[in-house]
C-alpha cells in the first residue's frame, strides 16, 4: 500500500503522540529514580563519613572499609577470607590487605579451617570484640537519637526496605 504525503504525516503524528505519552510515564518514573539516586547519594556519603569516624574510634589506624569486616565477623562468627570478600564485594588482594591490617592491630586472628586444612578461618579476637562492641553501641545510640521522632514501625519498615535493597544487590 502506498501512502501519500498525508498518510505519512498522520503516521508520524500518531507515533509522536505515542512517544509523548510514553515519555510522560518515563518522566514520572525517571523522577522517582532520580529522587532515589539523590537521597542514596547523600545517605552513602554520610555513611562513609560515619564509618570513617567509627573506624577511627575503634583504632586510629583502622581503615573505614575494615569496619564492615568487623561488623560481619561479629554478626556471623568465623569465616573464610573468600566468604568475607564475596559478602563485602572486594577482590582477594584487597581482602588480604584489610585482614592483614586487622590482624596486625590485634582485632582478628586466623586459624586452620577444620573442614579444609588448606583454608583459614578469620575470627574476632577478644580485643576486637570489646573495642568493636563499644563503638557499635555508640553508633546504635546515635541512630536512636537521630530517629527519636520516628515511630518504631517506621524504623522497622526502613530496615526491611534496606534489607530488600541489599538482598537485591547480592
Amino acid at each position: 500500500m502506498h501512502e501519500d504525503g498525508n498518510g505519512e504525516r498522520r503516521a508520524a503524528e500518531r507515533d509522536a503522540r505515542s512517544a509523548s505519552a510514553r515519555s510522560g510515564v518515563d518522566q514520572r518514573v525517571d523522577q522517582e529514580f532520580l529522587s532515589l539516586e539523590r537521597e542514596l547519594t547523600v545517605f552513602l556519603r554520610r555513611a562513609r563519613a560515619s564509618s570513617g569516624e567509627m573506624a577511627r574510634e575503634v583504632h586510629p589506624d583502622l581503615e573505614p572499609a575494615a569496619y564492615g569486616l568487623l561488623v560481619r565477623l561479629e554478626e556471623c562468627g568465623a569465616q573464610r577470607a573468600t566468604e568475607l570478600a564475596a559478602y563485602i564485594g572486594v577482590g582477594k588482594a584487597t581482602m588480604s590487605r584489610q585482614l592483614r591490617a586487622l590482624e596486625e592491630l590485634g582485632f582478628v586472628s586466623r586459624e586452620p579451617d577444620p573442614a579444609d586444612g588448606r583454608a583459614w578461618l578469620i575470627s574476632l579476637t577478644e580485643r576486637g570484640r570489646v573495642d568493636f562492641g563499644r563503638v557499635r553501641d555508640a553508633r546504635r545510640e546515635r541512630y536512636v537519637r537521630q530517629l527519636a521522632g520516628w515511630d518504631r514501625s517506621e524504623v522497622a519498615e526502613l530496615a526491611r526496605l534496606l534489607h530488600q535493597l541489599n538482598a537485591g544487590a547480592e
Side-chain angles (χ1 to χ4, degrees):
M1 180 162 111
H2 181 356
E3 291 278 345
D4 64 7
N6 289 334
E8 289 175 3
R9 188 176 314 131
R10 281 193 298 271
E13 289 170 357
R14 184 182 63 244
D15 291 347
R17 281 192 306 273
S18 177
S20 176
R22 281 193 315 276
S23 174
V25 171
D26 290 347
Q27 285 177 348
R28 284 194 303 273
V29 171
D30 286 347
Q31 287 303 315
E32 293 164 353
F33 283 93
L34 286 172
S35 295
L36 174 63
E37 178 185 24
R38 180 177 48 253
E39 296 305 323
L40 280 175
T41 300
V42 171
F43 178 77
L44 292 172
R45 189 176 321 120
R46 289 180 179 163
R48 272 189 220 104
S50 177
S51 286
E53 292 169 16
M54 293 293 135
R56 284 187 297 279
E57 287 181 33
V58 173
H59 190 280
D61 295 332
L62 186 64
E63 292 182 32
Y67 184 83
L69 293 173
L70 298 177
V71 171
R72 184 68 175 177
L73 289 169
E74 199 275 332
E75 288 178 349
C76 298
Q79 293 194 321
R80 291 181 177 186
T82 53
E83 294 170 321
L84 290 167
Y87 177 77
I88 300 292
V90 298
K92 289 167 72 172
T94 299
M95 182 55 55
S96 293
R97 184 180 51 78
Q98 289 178 350
L99 289 174
R100 191 170 33 260
L102 286 170
E103 195 171 18
E104 288 171 3
L105 292 172
F107 294 128
V108 301
S109 63
R110 298 172 193 249
E111 58 189 58
D113 184 346
D116 180 354
R118 299 167 298 168
W120 294 87
L121 290 176
I122 312 299
S123 60
L124 286 176
T125 62
E126 186 59 29
R127 176 185 179 192
R129 195 174 317 287
V130 168
D131 288 358
F132 171 73
R134 177 181 44 80
V135 173
R136 189 173 211 189
D137 290 346
R139 184 179 228 186
R140 192 170 297 127
E141 285 301 317
R142 190 177 297 170
Y143 291 149
V144 168
R145 283 192 308 275
Q146 286 177 331
L147 302 175
W150 288 38
D151 184 84
R152 287 281 178 134
S153 64
E154 291 174 319
V155 175
E157 179 66 2
L158 176 60
R160 185 190 71 74
L161 291 171
L162 287 171
H163 175 75
Q164 185 176 333
L165 179 65
N166 286 328
E170 290 179 3

